[in-house]
Amino acid sequence: MAKSDVKLIGAWPSPFVLRARIALNVKSVEYEFLQETLGSKSELLLKSNPVHKKIPVLLHHDKPICESLIIVEYIDEVWASGPSILPSDPYERAIARFWASYVDEKWFPAMKSIAVAQDDEARKAAVVQVAEGLALLEEAFQKISKGKSFFGGDHIGYLDIAFGGFLGWLRVTEGTGGIKLLNETKTPGLLKWADDFAAHPAVKDVLPDIGKLAEFSKVIVAKMRAAAAAPAK
Amino acid sequence: MADQVVLLDFWPSPFGMRVRIALAEKGVKYEYKNEDLWNKSPLLLQSNPVHKKIPVLIHNEKSVSESVIVLQYIDEVWNDKAPLLPSDPYLKSQAKFWADFVDKKIYDLGKKTWTTKGEEQEAAQKEFIECIKLLEVELGDKPFFGGETIGFVDVTLVPFYSWFTVYEKLGNFSIEPECPKFIAWAKRCLERESVSKSLPDQDKVCDFVVEMRKKLGME
């Protein structure tokens, strides 16, 4: 399949875009990466995702697919001959989707709260929330991985990709806050998982450089704080 | 071995209604358990310890929660009839996209149309109507979002129709004049037994909300 058949509109810091890139790498799909500039949205993006105007957008034969987890599932189905991303058992699929949804709906918003916390007390409360979430994910990891390296077992799967997309931001949060969110005492499984995931061939070349991400996060956090502090209309 | 299927639900919940419709479409026999959300059963707390919310589908003692995830599970397990999702990967991704849109927009905006006041309420009602209109465009000339028969998006969306009297009466605005196509679609869905048996009457839902507001001391 020609490289131009598959395009991904995205940006290097986005955890959601990273999910799509890892999935494409798992399937060894060649694609054109169309990098958006922060602060402006390309015409192609606005045309391909008119409803949300957000990245990532996968363009397959010029047909757009939006929402990162929907993109990952699409990739899994279309390139079916490659390694499977979702498990084949319906119950295991439901569990993987459940935790991916938890990461998106509960855990990541708590992570963002750490960044925009206006004072120390708020920050501490947010850190507690994130840590509680990680405890749940650690428990899930122990159950689902069954002693293997990844949520997907020997190979990275849907939940590895869904959660792993945030690994860079997790590291930046740890660095900026001087906190060890993944640690030997509370999250030994995830601590090892994180290293295995980051080193995985489908991940290592697309995982953003932590230093670069930390610099970028300063810009983003300033924007988020300004938006949070702005008086509600 | 016979399948054991239990649904933990709460009759006015649009999320619960989605699962009821799907199980009916697939002809699955199940035990319906109505939860008292102010006094959650040990079974609910045990089967959904993370969110403690309904609906929860318990299939041969394995629990599945989050309504859209439950729908996909039902579609994959009982795959011999009434497919909810198309088999074509691209069309499937589009159905998932619109179901996700319904989840992101319709519930929260719908709630805001009658629980907020002043400018916030006006803005919510305006955006709600815009979202419904966007869905009308997506529906196009098809009888259902799923095409000739109801599908994933229809099942995800139609339960909110049972709350329209709540939105309109308590929110003091009208939906049908702006979105007649949507109303026509909802009524078409209700012609199917799986839907009409799963959705409570709009007035019943409204009475319940009014009662609940009184109980909670909100006028």
Side-chain angles (χ1 to χ4, degrees), chain A residues 64 67 73 77 93 97, chain B residues 72 76 90 94 96 104:
Chain A
E67 294 302 301
E73 292 206 26
E77 282 164 35
R93 288 157 80 94
R97 285 173 176 144
Chain B
Q72 287 174 265
E76 287 165 21
Y90 184 71
Q94 297 312 291
K96 286 178 186 171
K104 281 183 160 86

Side-chain angles (χ1 to χ4, degrees), chain A:
Chain A
M1 199 171 284
K3 194 174 174 181
S4 58
D5 286 345
V6 186
K7 297 181 176 119
L8 183 70
I9 309 175
W12 67 269
S14 162
F16 305 101
V17 171
L18 187 57
R19 289 168 167 177
R21 299 191 82 178
I22 295 170
L24 288 165
N25 286 352
V26 166
K27 302 284 190 175
S28 303
V29 176
E30 288 213 351
Y31 65 98
E32 199 183 335
F33 186 56
L34 301 169
Q35 182 105 252
E36 288 283 308
T37 325
L38 178 71
S40 79
K41 298 187 189 216
S42 71
E43 259 193 64
L44 182 63
L45 172 59
L46 297 174
K47 193 183 81 167
S48 319
N49 190 358
V51 175
H52 301 304
K53 306 173 176 54
K54 285 180 170 182
I55 49 160
V57 178
L58 183 74
L59 291 162
H60 189 203
H61 300 301
D62 296 322
K63 291 198 282 193
I65 300 109
C66 311
E67 294 302 301
S68 63
L69 294 176
I70 295 176
I71 292 172
V72 171
E73 292 206 26
Y74 176 82
I75 290 168
D76 198 27
E77 282 164 35
V78 170
W79 288 278
S81 57
S84 284
I85 292 175
L86 268 169
S88 50
D89 174 71
Y91 180 66
E92 287 177 22
R93 288 157 80 94
I95 297 299
R97 285 173 176 144
F98 173 86
W99 286 108
S101 163
Y102 173 81
V103 167
D104 274 356
E105 254 131 75
K106 300 280 179 201
W107 188 78
F108 186 53
M111 280 279 284
K112 284 196 279 192
S113 298
I114 298 178
V116 299
Q118 300 289 343
D119 56 50
D120 232 24
E121 211 184 297
R123 210 186 128 266
K124 278 192 185 147
V127 169
V128 166
Q129 251 202 314
V130 169
E132 280 171 358
L134 288 172
L136 286 175
L137 287 161
E138 171 74 18
E139 200 188 321
F141 177 75
Q142 297 292 351
K143 264 196 212 141
I144 298 168
S145 65
K146 301 190 180 89
K148 305 273 172 89
S149 304
F150 303 108
F151 287 95
D154 287 321
H155 308 284
I156 63 172
Y158 186 79
L159 188 47
D160 298 285
I161 295 173
F163 182 44
F166 292 102
L167 191 54
W169 284 99
L170 183 66
R171 296 262 185 257
V172 167
T173 308
E174 286 183 322
T176 322
I179 38 173
K180 281 257 157 279
L181 291 167
L182 293 183
N183 56 69
E184 195 54 57
T185 353
K186 300 260 171 72
T187 62
L190 290 180
L191 184 65
K192 183 175 179 294
W193 166 85
D195 287 338
D196 290 336
F197 183 78
H200 192 280
V203 178
K204 65 181 170 42
D205 294 331
V206 288
L207 199 60
D209 171 72
I210 302 304
K212 212 175 153 195
L213 197 62
E215 273 311 304
F216 176 81
S217 83
K218 289 179 188 158
V219 176
I220 278 288
V221 169
K223 276 194 178 177
M224 282 163 72
R225 287 191 143 173
K233 285 201 188 134

Side-chain angles (χ1 to χ4, degrees), chain B residues 7-211:
Chain B
L7 175 63
L8 305 182
D9 199 349
F10 180 52
W11 70 267
S13 162
F15 305 101
M17 288 174 216
R18 291 169 169 178
V19 182
R20 285 172 235 164
I21 299 171
L23 290 168
E25 282 288 311
K26 302 284 187 175
V28 176
K29 294 209 183 341
Y30 67 98
E31 188 191 342
Y32 181 89
K33 286 195 163 156
N34 197 53
E35 286 281 329
D36 173 2
L37 298 185
W38 289 270
N39 187 19
K40 294 177 183 183
S41 73
L43 182 59
L44 173 56
L45 299 176
Q46 182 200 58
S47 13
N48 190 1
V50 175
H51 302 300
K52 306 175 176 55
K53 285 181 168 180
I54 55 96
V56 180
L57 187 77
I58 310 175
H59 180 208
N60 296 332
E61 294 178 12
K62 292 202 254 186
S63 313
V64 183
S65 51
E66 294 300 293
S67 62
V68 169
I69 294 173
V70 177
L71 290 183
Q72 287 174 265
Y73 177 83
I74 291 170
D75 207 28
E76 287 165 21
V77 171
W78 290 281
N79 55 15
D80 52 334
K81 69 187 268 206
L84 296 176
L85 281 167
S87 49
D88 171 72
Y90 184 71
L91 294 174
K92 194 187 276 192
S93 76
Q94 297 312 291
K96 286 178 186 171
F97 174 86
W98 287 105
D100 177 70
F101 175 82
V102 171
D103 262 359
K104 281 183 160 86
K105 299 281 185 184
I106 304 299
Y107 175 69
D108 284 328
L109 284 172
K111 197 169 169 194
K112 282 185 177 165
T113 62
W114 63 279
T115 57
T116 58
K117 290 191 165 77
E119 265 183 49
E120 201 188 341
Q121 186 179 33
E122 257 182 66
Q125 288 176 356
K126 183 164 174 276
E127 206 189 331
F128 180 80
I129 297 286
E130 276 166 12
C131 287
I132 298 290
K133 284 186 169 170
L134 198 56
L135 287 161
E136 285 183 325
V137 171
E138 177 54 27
L139 180 64
D141 292 323
K142 306 192 295 289
F144 303 102
F145 289 89
E148 291 306 308
T149 182
I150 67 168
F152 200 70
V153 180
D154 303 277
V155 175
T156 317
L157 181 58
V158 79
F160 294 101
Y161 181 66
S162 68
W163 279 71
F164 273 26
T165 302
V166 175
Y167 303 158
E168 290 178 307
K169 212 167 171 181
L170 303 183
N172 193 30
F173 80 123
S174 248
I175 303 170
E176 186 157 6
E178 301 264 11
C179 313
K181 203 170 165 189
F182 185 90
I183 304 298
W185 159 81
K187 289 182 176 167
R188 207 176 298 130
C189 288
L190 277 161
E191 285 169 15
R192 279 188 86 77
E193 207 182 323
S194 62
V195 179
S196 62
K197 291 217 158 139
S198 303
L199 263 55
D201 182 67
Q202 286 180 332
D203 288 331
K204 193 178 174 199
V205 179
C206 196
D207 289 343
F208 159 76
V209 172
V210 169
E211 238 343 279

